[in-house]
Amino acid sequence: TYSALTSLVTKNNRERVEMGSFRFIFAFSTSLLIQAATIGLVTYFGNDAAAWRTVAIIYTIIGVITNSLSVFSVKELSDEELREEDGTTDSTVDEKYSLIDAAKLLIANKYYIMICVTYILQQLYGAMLGVGTYYMKYVMGDENLFSYFAWAINIPLIIALVITPALVTKWKGMYKLNLYGYALGTLGRALVVVAASMGNIPLMFIFTGVAAFGMGPWQGDMNAVIAEASQYTYLTKGKRVDGTMYSCTSLGVKLGGGIGVALQGWLLEFAGYDGTLAVQSESCINMLKTMYLILPVVITIIITFIMSRMKVEKANAEFRVEKNA
């Protein structure tokens, strides 16, 4: 329901994109802040189990306060205002539906399926990058590099999120931005492979940042895209499924995350990974290269193809013209 608020508190697509961008700007910034501050705070409070509990309690209090502000300050639009967005003031449309009806509505929406698949693939992508700790340790010989690569991802992401609303306005929609962004992300990951084959760590940093920058706009505007997908169901089926539509976020995260973690373990076990060894076998090294370098490129190629078919804004505009006619 948290994500669904994007479509229920404003009818303006630019504002929806801004909300998504600000959400992830603070999410990634907070993640970086926590990474930088946690160890220092734990040390300050005694560097023991009690210190970790104290820091956890501090973070919990901050979380409760910020989430409470959201709960008590957000106001949803009325049904009448939402109908105006769809180009209709028909108050007789039946918006009640059973769980089975909701499932049918979602499955019938091709854009919902595309978004779900994209979410799952994103989780798989994250899982493959997650083996970077092993890749840095056993392939590059320095596991501390992983934290630097994390910064090389998060900083460009934040920059991309900051400029996403302006780019959506300039390009008059999200379609081109997401498509070109992921095309750039795919190119960046491909060049990471090239840089890795050269053993050039600085270039790997640069191209990792390029890839993250290209994929950033989708993080900022995906909630607005989901809102458009929900509008597509309303315009084609006459039922509003905003809350249910946003199930693609949790479905993709849970399903993709579970598959990703399992796939990590299966592939490493298949390759003969042994955590007790200081030097891994050649088959394990090759698997780490495949997981960290090759599979992310394959995944981004598939997502780029999906983005090329994600023409939900155009479809909705055509349906609204038909309604008005």
Side-chain angles (χ1 to χ4, degrees):
T1 57
Y2 176 76
S3 297
L5 286 173
T6 304
S7 64
L8 298 175
V9 299
T10 178
K11 299 183 293 181
N12 188 304
N13 235 16
R14 177 182 171 84
E15 291 180 353
R16 288 172 174 172
V17 174
E18 289 176 345
M19 290 170 65
S21 295
F22 284 128
R23 172 188 175 186
F24 283 100
I25 286 172
F26 281 101
F28 292 125
S29 299
T30 301
S31 176
L32 290 175
L33 180 61
I34 289 174
Q35 291 176 28
T38 299
I39 298 300
L41 286 172
V42 170
T43 301
Y44 175 80
F45 287 112
N47 201 24
D48 54 13
W52 282 100
R53 285 195 297 271
T54 300
V55 173
I57 291 172
I58 292 173
Y59 289 161
T60 301
I61 292 173
I62 295 173
V64 169
I65 292 172
T66 54
N67 281 283
S68 296
L69 287 174
S70 297
V71 169
F72 293 111
S73 63
V74 172
K75 181 181 179 181
E76 297 181 17
L77 297 175
S78 66
D79 291 339
E80 290 74 17
E81 290 174 301
L82 291 172
R83 289 191 188 96
E84 289 175 6
E85 177 190 10
D86 304 318
T88 177
T89 57
D90 184 5
S91 61
T92 64
V93 176
D94 181 15
E95 295 180 3
K96 296 180 180 180
Y97 50 89
S98 66
L99 183 61
I100 295 177
D101 291 333
K104 290 179 179 178
L105 288 169
L106 295 180
I107 294 174
N109 188 325
K110 62 183 178 180
Y111 299 109
Y112 172 82
I113 301 299
M114 291 181 193
I115 295 170
C116 279
V117 173
T118 300
Y119 262 100
I120 293 171
L121 290 172
Q122 283 181 301
Q123 293 301 309
L124 294 178
Y125 176 87
M128 293 305 100
L129 291 191
V131 302
T133 52
Y134 302 106
Y135 180 86
M136 304 302 165
K137 181 177 181 179
Y138 297 111
V139 179
M140 302 186 71
D142 185 2
E143 59 186 319
N144 293 323
L145 285 173
F146 184 72
S147 62
Y148 295 108
F149 273 94
W151 280 79
I153 292 173
N154 285 322
I155 296 301
L157 266 177
I158 292 172
I159 295 173
L161 288 167
V162 170
I163 65 175
T164 292
L167 291 177
V168 169
T169 300
K170 181 178 180 180
W171 287 358
K172 299 179 180 179
M174 299 170 285
Y175 172 73
K176 289 183 179 179
L177 179 59
N178 291 330
L179 175 58
Y180 296 161
Y182 251 94
L184 177 62
T186 301
L187 176 62
R189 287 309 307 181
L191 291 175
V192 170
V193 177
V194 175
S197 67
M198 297 167 53
N200 192 320
I201 295 177
L203 278 181
M204 288 183 68
F205 276 121
I206 292 172
F207 294 136
T208 294
V210 170
F213 181 82
M215 300 175 199
W218 170 254
Q219 297 288 340
D221 66 28
M222 60 183 174
N223 278 352
V225 175
I226 298 173
E228 287 288 339
S230 181
Q231 292 299 311
Y232 180 82
T233 292
Y234 185 82
L235 291 169
T236 57
K237 303 296 183 181
K239 289 184 179 291
R240 188 173 296 285
V241 290
D242 298 292
T244 311
M245 183 65 65
Y246 278 84
S247 65
C248 58
T249 59
S250 56
L251 174 64
V253 169
K254 290 180 174 62
L255 183 59
I259 294 174
V261 172
L263 190 61
Q264 276 185 344
W266 292 335
L267 292 177
L268 289 175
E269 182 180 6
F270 176 77
Y273 170 76
D274 186 346
T276 64
L277 299 177
V279 179
Q280 298 297 324
S281 64
E282 183 178 355
S283 62
C284 182
I285 296 298
N286 289 334
M287 180 59 75
L288 287 172
K289 291 179 179 178
T290 299
M291 294 173 70
Y292 186 73
L293 299 175
I294 304 301
L295 290 182
V297 178
V298 174
I299 292 171
T300 55
I301 289 174
I302 298 173
I303 294 178
T304 301
F305 173 76
I306 294 174
M307 292 298 168
S308 72
R309 314 302 298 174
M310 195 84 71
K311 300 180 180 180
V312 62
E313 294 169 279
K314 180 180 178 181
N316 285 347
E318 291 174 351
F319 276 119
R320 291 188 181 102
V321 170
E322 290 178 9
K323 278 182 173 292
N324 291 332

PDB file of all heavy atoms in Angstrom, residues 33-67:
ATOM      1  N   LEU A  33      24.796   6.400   4.256  1.00  0.00           N
ATOM      2  CA  LEU A  33      25.038   6.992   5.568  1.00  0.00           C
ATOM      3  C   LEU A  33      25.173   5.914   6.640  1.00  0.00           C
ATOM      4  O   LEU A  33      26.065   5.978   7.497  1.00  0.00           O
ATOM      5  CB  LEU A  33      23.893   7.947   5.922  1.00  0.00           C
ATOM      6  CG  LEU A  33      23.992   8.653   7.280  1.00  0.00           C
ATOM      7  CD1 LEU A  33      25.252   9.515   7.336  1.00  0.00           C
ATOM      8  CD2 LEU A  33      22.744   9.500   7.526  1.00  0.00           C
ATOM      9  N   ILE A  34      24.300   4.919   6.578  1.00  0.00           N
ATOM     10  CA  ILE A  34      24.354   3.832   7.553  1.00  0.00           C
ATOM     11  C   ILE A  34      25.661   3.052   7.421  1.00  0.00           C
ATOM     12  O   ILE A  34      26.301   2.695   8.423  1.00  0.00           O
ATOM     13  CB  ILE A  34      23.139   2.900   7.390  1.00  0.00           C
ATOM     14  CG1 ILE A  34      21.867   3.614   7.862  1.00  0.00           C
ATOM     15  CG2 ILE A  34      23.327   1.594   8.168  1.00  0.00           C
ATOM     16  CD1 ILE A  34      20.603   2.836   7.609  1.00  0.00           C
ATOM     17  N   GLN A  35      26.062   2.796   6.182  1.00  0.00           N
ATOM     18  CA  GLN A  35      27.322   2.082   5.957  1.00  0.00           C
ATOM     19  C   GLN A  35      28.496   2.858   6.552  1.00  0.00           C
ATOM     20  O   GLN A  35      29.426   2.269   7.113  1.00  0.00           O
ATOM     21  CB  GLN A  35      27.552   1.863   4.455  1.00  0.00           C
ATOM     22  CG  GLN A  35      26.594   0.889   3.816  1.00  0.00           C
ATOM     23  CD  GLN A  35      26.801   0.779   2.317  1.00  0.00           C
ATOM     24  OE1 GLN A  35      27.898   0.989   1.811  1.00  0.00           O
ATOM     25  NE2 GLN A  35      25.748   0.459   1.590  1.00  0.00           N
ATOM     26  N   ALA A  36      28.429   4.180   6.427  1.00  0.00           N
ATOM     27  CA  ALA A  36      29.551   5.002   6.889  1.00  0.00           C
ATOM     28  C   ALA A  36      29.527   5.228   8.400  1.00  0.00           C
ATOM     29  O   ALA A  36      30.585   5.345   9.032  1.00  0.00           O
ATOM     30  CB  ALA A  36      29.521   6.354   6.167  1.00  0.00           C
ATOM     31  N   ALA A  37      28.315   5.272   9.000  1.00  0.00           N
ATOM     32  CA  ALA A  37      28.210   5.684  10.399  1.00  0.00           C
ATOM     33  C   ALA A  37      28.083   4.547  11.406  1.00  0.00           C
ATOM     34  O   ALA A  37      28.437   4.724  12.577  1.00  0.00           O
ATOM     35  CB  ALA A  37      27.010   6.618  10.562  1.00  0.00           C
ATOM     36  N   THR A  38      27.602   3.400  10.971  1.00  0.00           N
ATOM     37  CA  THR A  38      27.255   2.342  11.927  1.00  0.00           C
ATOM     38  C   THR A  38      28.447   1.877  12.765  1.00  0.00           C
ATOM     39  O   THR A  38      28.363   1.797  14.000  1.00  0.00           O
ATOM     40  CB  THR A  38      26.628   1.139  11.198  1.00  0.00           C
ATOM     41  OG1 THR A  38      25.428   1.556  10.545  1.00  0.00           O
ATOM     42  CG2 THR A  38      26.312   0.019  12.184  1.00  0.00           C
ATOM     43  N   ILE A  39      29.540   1.555  12.098  1.00  0.00           N
ATOM     44  CA  ILE A  39      30.708   1.045  12.831  1.00  0.00           C
ATOM     45  C   ILE A  39      31.201   2.081  13.837  1.00  0.00           C
ATOM     46  O   ILE A  39      31.535   1.754  14.991  1.00  0.00           O
ATOM     47  CB  ILE A  39      31.846   0.669  11.861  1.00  0.00           C
ATOM     48  CG1 ILE A  39      31.384  -0.452  10.924  1.00  0.00           C
ATOM     49  CG2 ILE A  39      33.077   0.223  12.646  1.00  0.00           C
ATOM     50  CD1 ILE A  39      30.976  -1.720  11.640  1.00  0.00           C
ATOM     51  N   GLY A  40      31.217   3.356  13.449  1.00  0.00           N
ATOM     52  CA  GLY A  40      31.641   4.415  14.358  1.00  0.00           C
ATOM     53  C   GLY A  40      30.722   4.536  15.560  1.00  0.00           C
ATOM     54  O   GLY A  40      31.180   4.716  16.698  1.00  0.00           O
ATOM     55  N   LEU A  41      29.415   4.426  15.334  1.00  0.00           N
ATOM     56  CA  LEU A  41      28.455   4.498  16.430  1.00  0.00           C
ATOM     57  C   LEU A  41      28.603   3.307  17.379  1.00  0.00           C
ATOM     58  O   LEU A  41      28.551   3.467  18.604  1.00  0.00           O
ATOM     59  CB  LEU A  41      27.025   4.538  15.876  1.00  0.00           C
ATOM     60  CG  LEU A  41      26.582   5.852  15.230  1.00  0.00           C
ATOM     61  CD1 LEU A  41      25.221   5.694  14.556  1.00  0.00           C
ATOM     62  CD2 LEU A  41      26.522   6.967  16.280  1.00  0.00           C
ATOM     63  N   VAL A  42      28.787   2.124  16.799  1.00  0.00           N
ATOM     64  CA  VAL A  42      28.965   0.932  17.634  1.00  0.00           C
ATOM     65  C   VAL A  42      30.209   1.075  18.502  1.00  0.00           C
ATOM     66  O   VAL A  42      30.208   0.747  19.699  1.00  0.00           O
ATOM     67  CB  VAL A  42      29.063  -0.339  16.754  1.00  0.00           C
ATOM     68  CG1 VAL A  42      29.500  -1.540  17.595  1.00  0.00           C
ATOM     69  CG2 VAL A  42      27.720  -0.620  16.085  1.00  0.00           C
ATOM     70  N   THR A  43      31.284   1.595  17.912  1.00  0.00           N
ATOM     71  CA  THR A  43      32.516   1.815  18.669  1.00  0.00           C
ATOM     72  C   THR A  43      32.292   2.836  19.781  1.00  0.00           C
ATOM     73  O   THR A  43      32.751   2.654  20.913  1.00  0.00           O
ATOM     74  CB  THR A  43      33.632   2.305  17.735  1.00  0.00           C
ATOM     75  OG1 THR A  43      33.856   1.326  16.718  1.00  0.00           O
ATOM     76  CG2 THR A  43      34.935   2.519  18.512  1.00  0.00           C
ATOM     77  N   TYR A  44      31.547   3.900  19.480  1.00  0.00           N
ATOM     78  CA  TYR A  44      31.274   4.951  20.466  1.00  0.00           C
ATOM     79  C   TYR A  44      30.498   4.413  21.666  1.00  0.00           C
ATOM     80  O   TYR A  44      30.738   4.804  22.804  1.00  0.00           O
ATOM     81  CB  TYR A  44      30.497   6.080  19.788  1.00  0.00           C
ATOM     82  CG  TYR A  44      30.062   7.175  20.728  1.00  0.00           C
ATOM     83  CD1 TYR A  44      30.956   8.174  21.125  1.00  0.00           C
ATOM     84  CD2 TYR A  44      28.757   7.214  21.229  1.00  0.00           C
ATOM     85  CE1 TYR A  44      30.562   9.186  21.989  1.00  0.00           C
ATOM     86  CE2 TYR A  44      28.354   8.211  22.090  1.00  0.00           C
ATOM     87  CZ  TYR A  44      29.265   9.201  22.473  1.00  0.00           C
ATOM     88  OH  TYR A  44      28.868  10.196  23.342  1.00  0.00           O
ATOM     89  N   PHE A  45      29.575   3.481  21.405  1.00  0.00           N
ATOM     90  CA  PHE A  45      28.735   2.950  22.483  1.00  0.00           C
ATOM     91  C   PHE A  45      29.337   1.714  23.174  1.00  0.00           C
ATOM     92  O   PHE A  45      28.667   1.068  23.966  1.00  0.00           O
ATOM     93  CB  PHE A  45      27.342   2.604  21.955  1.00  0.00           C
ATOM     94  CG  PHE A  45      26.490   3.798  21.670  1.00  0.00           C
ATOM     95  CD1 PHE A  45      26.132   4.127  20.372  1.00  0.00           C
ATOM     96  CD2 PHE A  45      26.049   4.615  22.701  1.00  0.00           C
ATOM     97  CE1 PHE A  45      25.344   5.240  20.102  1.00  0.00           C
ATOM     98  CE2 PHE A  45      25.244   5.722  22.444  1.00  0.00           C
ATOM     99  CZ  PHE A  45      24.903   6.044  21.142  1.00  0.00           C
ATOM    100  N   GLY A  46      30.589   1.393  22.857  1.00  0.00           N
ATOM    101  CA  GLY A  46      31.250   0.315  23.594  1.00  0.00           C
ATOM    102  C   GLY A  46      31.717  -0.865  22.788  1.00  0.00           C
ATOM    103  O   GLY A  46      32.399  -1.760  23.295  1.00  0.00           O
ATOM    104  N   ASN A  47      31.345  -0.931  21.516  1.00  0.00           N
ATOM    105  CA  ASN A  47      31.824  -1.974  20.606  1.00  0.00           C
ATOM    106  C   ASN A  47      31.548  -3.388  21.136  1.00  0.00           C
ATOM    107  O   ASN A  47      32.399  -4.282  21.068  1.00  0.00           O
ATOM    108  CB  ASN A  47      33.316  -1.800  20.345  1.00  0.00           C
ATOM    109  CG  ASN A  47      33.752  -2.500  19.062  1.00  0.00           C
ATOM    110  OD1 ASN A  47      32.942  -2.732  18.173  1.00  0.00           O
ATOM    111  ND2 ASN A  47      35.021  -2.861  18.975  1.00  0.00           N
ATOM    112  N   ASP A  48      30.336  -3.602  21.667  1.00  0.00           N
ATOM    113  CA  ASP A  48      29.948  -4.937  22.121  1.00  0.00           C
ATOM    114  C   ASP A  48      28.510  -5.208  21.686  1.00  0.00           C
ATOM    115  O   ASP A  48      27.917  -4.421  20.929  1.00  0.00           O
ATOM    116  CB  ASP A  48      30.090  -5.064  23.644  1.00  0.00           C
ATOM    117  CG  ASP A  48      29.341  -3.961  24.397  1.00  0.00           C
ATOM    118  OD1 ASP A  48      28.519  -3.266  23.763  1.00  0.00           O
ATOM    119  OD2 ASP A  48      29.575  -3.805  25.610  1.00  0.00           O
ATOM    120  N   ALA A  49      27.935  -6.315  22.133  1.00  0.00           N
ATOM    121  CA  ALA A  49      26.578  -6.665  21.733  1.00  0.00           C
ATOM    122  C   ALA A  49      25.573  -5.596  22.148  1.00  0.00           C
ATOM    123  O   ALA A  49      24.634  -5.266  21.405  1.00  0.00           O
ATOM    124  CB  ALA A  49      26.193  -8.013  22.339  1.00  0.00           C
ATOM    125  N   ALA A  50      25.769  -5.036  23.336  1.00  0.00           N
ATOM    126  CA  ALA A  50      24.871  -3.980  23.803  1.00  0.00           C
ATOM    127  C   ALA A  50      24.954  -2.748  22.912  1.00  0.00           C
ATOM    128  O   ALA A  50      23.952  -2.051  22.685  1.00  0.00           O
ATOM    129  CB  ALA A  50      25.214  -3.612  25.250  1.00  0.00           C
ATOM    130  N   ALA A  51      26.146  -2.466  22.409  1.00  0.00           N
ATOM    131  CA  ALA A  51      26.327  -1.317  21.520  1.00  0.00           C
ATOM    132  C   ALA A  51      25.550  -1.504  20.221  1.00  0.00           C
ATOM    133  O   ALA A  51      24.908  -0.565  19.724  1.00  0.00           O
ATOM    134  CB  ALA A  51      27.810  -1.122  21.227  1.00  0.00           C
ATOM    135  N   TRP A  52      25.589  -2.723  19.682  1.00  0.00           N
ATOM    136  CA  TRP A  52      24.831  -3.006  18.463  1.00  0.00           C
ATOM    137  C   TRP A  52      23.330  -2.847  18.711  1.00  0.00           C
ATOM    138  O   TRP A  52      22.607  -2.317  17.862  1.00  0.00           O
ATOM    139  CB  TRP A  52      25.136  -4.422  17.964  1.00  0.00           C
ATOM    140  CG  TRP A  52      26.447  -4.535  17.247  1.00  0.00           C
ATOM    141  CD1 TRP A  52      27.625  -4.998  17.752  1.00  0.00           C
ATOM    142  CD2 TRP A  52      26.711  -4.152  15.890  1.00  0.00           C
ATOM    143  NE1 TRP A  52      28.619  -4.931  16.800  1.00  0.00           N
ATOM    144  CE2 TRP A  52      28.076  -4.417  15.643  1.00  0.00           C
ATOM    145  CE3 TRP A  52      25.938  -3.618  14.866  1.00  0.00           C
ATOM    146  CZ2 TRP A  52      28.689  -4.175  14.424  1.00  0.00           C
ATOM    147  CZ3 TRP A  52      26.532  -3.372  13.634  1.00  0.00           C
ATOM    148  CH2 TRP A  52      27.882  -3.645  13.426  1.00  0.00           C
ATOM    149  N   ARG A  53      22.861  -3.295  19.886  1.00  0.00           N
ATOM    150  CA  ARG A  53      21.445  -3.133  20.218  1.00  0.00           C
ATOM    151  C   ARG A  53      21.072  -1.663  20.336  1.00  0.00           C
ATOM    152  O   ARG A  53      20.004  -1.231  19.890  1.00  0.00           O
ATOM    153  CB  ARG A  53      21.118  -3.869  21.521  1.00  0.00           C
ATOM    154  CG  ARG A  53      21.038  -5.382  21.392  1.00  0.00           C
ATOM    155  CD  ARG A  53      20.373  -6.006  22.608  1.00  0.00           C
ATOM    156  NE  ARG A  53      21.148  -5.774  23.824  1.00  0.00           N
ATOM    157  CZ  ARG A  53      22.107  -6.576  24.259  1.00  0.00           C
ATOM    158  NH1 ARG A  53      22.418  -7.669  23.578  1.00  0.00           N
ATOM    159  NH2 ARG A  53      22.753  -6.319  25.384  1.00  0.00           N
ATOM    160  N   THR A  54      21.961  -0.881  20.941  1.00  0.00           N
ATOM    161  CA  THR A  54      21.699   0.555  21.098  1.00  0.00           C
ATOM    162  C   THR A  54      21.567   1.242  19.746  1.00  0.00           C
ATOM    163  O   THR A  54      20.645   2.037  19.518  1.00  0.00           O
ATOM    164  CB  THR A  54      22.832   1.217  21.904  1.00  0.00           C
ATOM    165  OG1 THR A  54      22.915   0.609  23.196  1.00  0.00           O
ATOM    166  CG2 THR A  54      22.589   2.716  22.051  1.00  0.00           C
ATOM    167  N   VAL A  55      22.478   0.917  18.842  1.00  0.00           N
ATOM    168  CA  VAL A  55      22.437   1.511  17.497  1.00  0.00           C
ATOM    169  C   VAL A  55      21.164   1.072  16.771  1.00  0.00           C
ATOM    170  O   VAL A  55      20.501   1.885  16.098  1.00  0.00           O
ATOM    171  CB  VAL A  55      23.688   1.106  16.693  1.00  0.00           C
ATOM    172  CG1 VAL A  55      23.559   1.583  15.245  1.00  0.00           C
ATOM    173  CG2 VAL A  55      24.942   1.691  17.331  1.00  0.00           C
ATOM    174  N   ALA A  56      20.801  -0.201  16.928  1.00  0.00           N
ATOM    175  CA  ALA A  56      19.574  -0.701  16.292  1.00  0.00           C
ATOM    176  C   ALA A  56      18.346   0.029  16.823  1.00  0.00           C
ATOM    177  O   ALA A  56      17.424   0.365  16.059  1.00  0.00           O
ATOM    178  CB  ALA A  56      19.443  -2.204  16.534  1.00  0.00           C
ATOM    179  N   ILE A  57      18.316   0.296  18.118  1.00  0.00           N
ATOM    180  CA  ILE A  57      17.194   1.018  18.729  1.00  0.00           C
ATOM    181  C   ILE A  57      17.127   2.449  18.193  1.00  0.00           C
ATOM    182  O   ILE A  57      16.047   2.967  17.899  1.00  0.00           O
ATOM    183  CB  ILE A  57      17.332   1.018  20.270  1.00  0.00           C
ATOM    184  CG1 ILE A  57      17.107  -0.392  20.817  1.00  0.00           C
ATOM    185  CG2 ILE A  57      16.333   1.999  20.897  1.00  0.00           C
ATOM    186  CD1 ILE A  57      17.415  -0.522  22.290  1.00  0.00           C
ATOM    187  N   ILE A  58      18.285   3.090  18.044  1.00  0.00           N
ATOM    188  CA  ILE A  58      18.328   4.458  17.493  1.00  0.00           C
ATOM    189  C   ILE A  58      17.748   4.481  16.090  1.00  0.00           C
ATOM    190  O   ILE A  58      16.910   5.326  15.744  1.00  0.00           O
ATOM    191  CB  ILE A  58      19.773   4.996  17.494  1.00  0.00           C
ATOM    192  CG1 ILE A  58      20.259   5.212  18.935  1.00  0.00           C
ATOM    193  CG2 ILE A  58      19.855   6.304  16.694  1.00  0.00           C
ATOM    194  CD1 ILE A  58      21.728   5.587  19.027  1.00  0.00           C
ATOM    195  N   TYR A  59      18.181   3.525  15.270  1.00  0.00           N
ATOM    196  CA  TYR A  59      17.665   3.449  13.898  1.00  0.00           C
ATOM    197  C   TYR A  59      16.153   3.177  13.897  1.00  0.00           C
ATOM    198  O   TYR A  59      15.413   3.715  13.063  1.00  0.00           O
ATOM    199  CB  TYR A  59      18.394   2.358  13.113  1.00  0.00           C
ATOM    200  CG  TYR A  59      19.837   2.682  12.774  1.00  0.00           C
ATOM    201  CD1 TYR A  59      20.726   1.677  12.417  1.00  0.00           C
ATOM    202  CD2 TYR A  59      20.299   3.988  12.804  1.00  0.00           C
ATOM    203  CE1 TYR A  59      22.040   1.960  12.091  1.00  0.00           C
ATOM    204  CE2 TYR A  59      21.614   4.292  12.492  1.00  0.00           C
ATOM    205  CZ  TYR A  59      22.487   3.277  12.135  1.00  0.00           C
ATOM    206  OH  TYR A  59      23.798   3.565  11.820  1.00  0.00           O
ATOM    207  N   THR A  60      15.696   2.341  14.814  1.00  0.00           N
ATOM    208  CA  THR A  60      14.269   2.018  14.900  1.00  0.00           C
ATOM    209  C   THR A  60      13.446   3.245  15.250  1.00  0.00           C
ATOM    210  O   THR A  60      12.387   3.497  14.656  1.00  0.00           O
ATOM    211  CB  THR A  60      14.032   0.925  15.952  1.00  0.00           C
ATOM    212  OG1 THR A  60      14.774  -0.247  15.598  1.00  0.00           O
ATOM    213  CG2 THR A  60      12.552   0.587  16.051  1.00  0.00           C
ATOM    214  N   ILE A  61      13.923   4.027  16.219  1.00  0.00           N
ATOM    215  CA  ILE A  61      13.212   5.250  16.626  1.00  0.00           C
ATOM    216  C   ILE A  61      13.114   6.222  15.455  1.00  0.00           C
ATOM    217  O   ILE A  61      12.056   6.804  15.190  1.00  0.00           O
ATOM    218  CB  ILE A  61      13.927   5.912  17.822  1.00  0.00           C
ATOM    219  CG1 ILE A  61      13.803   5.024  19.074  1.00  0.00           C
ATOM    220  CG2 ILE A  61      13.342   7.302  18.098  1.00  0.00           C
ATOM    221  CD1 ILE A  61      14.620   5.511  20.252  1.00  0.00           C
ATOM    222  N   ILE A  62      14.225   6.390  14.743  1.00  0.00           N
ATOM    223  CA  ILE A  62      14.221   7.277  13.573  1.00  0.00           C
ATOM    224  C   ILE A  62      13.217   6.771  12.536  1.00  0.00           C
ATOM    225  O   ILE A  62      12.451   7.549  11.944  1.00  0.00           O
ATOM    226  CB  ILE A  62      15.627   7.373  12.956  1.00  0.00           C
ATOM    227  CG1 ILE A  62      16.589   8.052  13.932  1.00  0.00           C
ATOM    228  CG2 ILE A  62      15.584   8.143  11.627  1.00  0.00           C
ATOM    229  CD1 ILE A  62      18.026   8.037  13.479  1.00  0.00           C
ATOM    230  N   GLY A  63      13.196   5.452  12.331  1.00  0.00           N
ATOM    231  CA  GLY A  63      12.283   4.864  11.360  1.00  0.00           C
ATOM    232  C   GLY A  63      10.826   5.059  11.744  1.00  0.00           C
ATOM    233  O   GLY A  63       9.985   5.389  10.898  1.00  0.00           O
ATOM    234  N   VAL A  64      10.512   4.875  13.024  1.00  0.00           N
ATOM    235  CA  VAL A  64       9.138   5.051  13.494  1.00  0.00           C
ATOM    236  C   VAL A  64       8.690   6.499  13.307  1.00  0.00           C
ATOM    237  O   VAL A  64       7.568   6.769  12.862  1.00  0.00           O
ATOM    238  CB  VAL A  64       9.019   4.642  14.977  1.00  0.00           C
ATOM    239  CG1 VAL A  64       7.662   5.075  15.550  1.00  0.00           C
ATOM    240  CG2 VAL A  64       9.191   3.138  15.134  1.00  0.00           C
ATOM    241  N   ILE A  65       9.566   7.448  13.622  1.00  0.00           N
ATOM    242  CA  ILE A  65       9.218   8.871  13.497  1.00  0.00           C
ATOM    243  C   ILE A  65       8.955   9.237  12.039  1.00  0.00           C
ATOM    244  O   ILE A  65       7.937   9.857  11.707  1.00  0.00           O
ATOM    245  CB  ILE A  65      10.339   9.761  14.077  1.00  0.00           C
ATOM    246  CG1 ILE A  65      10.421   9.582  15.594  1.00  0.00           C
ATOM    247  CG2 ILE A  65      10.093  11.226  13.728  1.00  0.00           C
ATOM    248  CD1 ILE A  65      11.607  10.277  16.225  1.00  0.00           C
ATOM    249  N   THR A  66       9.861   8.853  11.144  1.00  0.00           N
ATOM    250  CA  THR A  66       9.722   9.223   9.727  1.00  0.00           C
ATOM    251  C   THR A  66       8.505   8.550   9.093  1.00  0.00           C
ATOM    252  O   THR A  66       7.774   9.189   8.319  1.00  0.00           O
ATOM    253  CB  THR A  66      10.991   8.859   8.944  1.00  0.00           C
ATOM    254  OG1 THR A  66      11.293   7.459   9.146  1.00  0.00           O
ATOM    255  CG2 THR A  66      12.168   9.685   9.404  1.00  0.00           C
ATOM    256  N   ASN A  67       8.262   7.295   9.419  1.00  0.00           N
ATOM    257  CA  ASN A  67       7.099   6.609   8.856  1.00  0.00           C
ATOM    258  C   ASN A  67       5.800   7.160   9.421  1.00  0.00           C
ATOM    259  O   ASN A  67       4.788   7.224   8.712  1.00  0.00           O
ATOM    260  CB  ASN A  67       7.190   5.103   9.110  1.00  0.00           C
ATOM    261  CG  ASN A  67       8.123   4.407   8.141  1.00  0.00           C
ATOM    262  OD1 ASN A  67       7.770   4.164   6.985  1.00  0.00           O
ATOM    263  ND2 ASN A  67       9.311   4.082   8.600  1.00  0.00           N
TER     264      ASN A  67
END
